[in-house]
Amino acid sequence: MAKKVLITGADGQLGQCVQYIAKRYPQIHFTFVNKKQLDITDGSAVDSFFKQNNFTYIINAAAYTHVDNAETEQELAFEINEIGVKNIARACAKYNLELLHLSTDYVFDGKSKVPYTEEMDTNPINVYGASKLAGENVIVEVCKKHIILRTSWLYSPFGHNFYLSMRRAIENKKQLQITTEQTGTPTSAVGLAEVLMKIICQEKKEYGVYHYSDEGETTWYEFAMEIERKILEENKGYINPTDHYETKAKRPKYSVLNHMKIKKNFNIIPKPWQKTLAEF
């Protein structure tokens, strides 16, 4: 039977990445919707849309992702990342659909010294992380057939992301101050889109929370240095380290994710982040 997959947040970074690889999966019928086509915060609209269409899977890539702005737009962040998610989860439960939902490493406080497993305690230190955790919780509460996929530091050719910002700055020969105080893992959003397809194409699934990012760990400064090396084939001195970079929202100092569960249950093996960046 053909798989019918709805992707919300089609205009966002991940939504565009799924569109980019969709032609590689002729066995899947994709429907992409943006906020104008489906406002996930409108529960009746979500229910009506799901009722009218015979979907089998939902990839929820719609989210409020402005980490700093969330500190002053708390109500909007929770409206999209909790209420909107609840509407989708309820509709998935009602119509017996499988939900794949994207979450974040920012549900953790960054105090760990080892990569975070799915079982470790969450404790977000900013509004964005709290709103994403609230969304996770409502999914677990109302929708049994769910896979929550936490990821980190997404970049791609689309949307707004660290890679594109660094590339523009480097090509314009701007001097940059990049923090050395946060450690995590850059992750290709195109690679993440491929992972979502692999999960959908596996008939037997163990539902629950999973971690996926590229392999390894680095700082934003080291990531920026690697981007400069890939673009210019050497470091020209545009990237400068700083141990203090003021932001509205606190960030976890360490948010590397453990991949053992997704390796075991889905046989998905992340590539080193340096290799993924080089291929990109």
Side-chain angles (χ1 to χ4, degrees), residues 156-275:
S156 74
F158 310 108
H160 302 283
N161 59 73
F162 185 81
Y163 171 85
L164 292 180
S165 296
M166 290 301 102
R167 184 180 185 110
R168 283 192 296 269
I170 290 164
E171 289 174 343
N172 290 322
K173 300 180 179 180
K174 288 185 178 180
Q175 291 290 320
L176 299 167
Q177 298 287 327
I178 308 298
T179 183
T180 59
E181 290 300 290
Q182 295 169 43
T183 298
T185 309
T187 303
S188 164
V190 175
L192 176 60
E194 292 280 8
V195 165
L196 291 168
M197 295 307 104
K198 288 179 182 178
I199 291 173
I200 284 173
C201 289
Q202 293 191 28
E203 296 303 323
K204 291 186 178 180
K205 302 178 183 69
E206 185 171 329
Y207 299 117
V209 178
Y210 288 86
H211 289 173
Y212 176 83
S213 65
D214 288 336
E215 193 71 60
E217 59 183 65
T218 189
T219 65
W220 287 114
Y221 167 71
E222 291 165 342
F223 183 32
M225 290 285 284
E226 192 68 17
I227 291 169
E228 186 185 41
R229 280 193 287 270
K230 292 294 181 287
I231 294 171
L232 302 179
E233 297 185 349
E234 62 177 322
N235 290 121
K236 293 280 192 177
Y238 300 131
I239 311 297
N240 303 287
T242 179
D243 59 4
H244 181 73
Y245 186 77
E246 193 68 37
T247 57
K248 287 183 184 178
K250 293 181 180 179
R251 265 74 166 176
K253 287 192 172 183
Y254 182 90
S255 61
V256 179
L257 300 175
N258 182 294
H259 305 131
M260 290 305 297
K261 186 176 177 180
I262 200 166
K263 289 177 181 178
K264 177 183 176 183
N265 290 355
F266 288 104
N267 195 32
I268 289 170
I269 312 297
K271 295 179 181 179
W273 71 265
Q274 299 94 329
K275 183 176 181 179

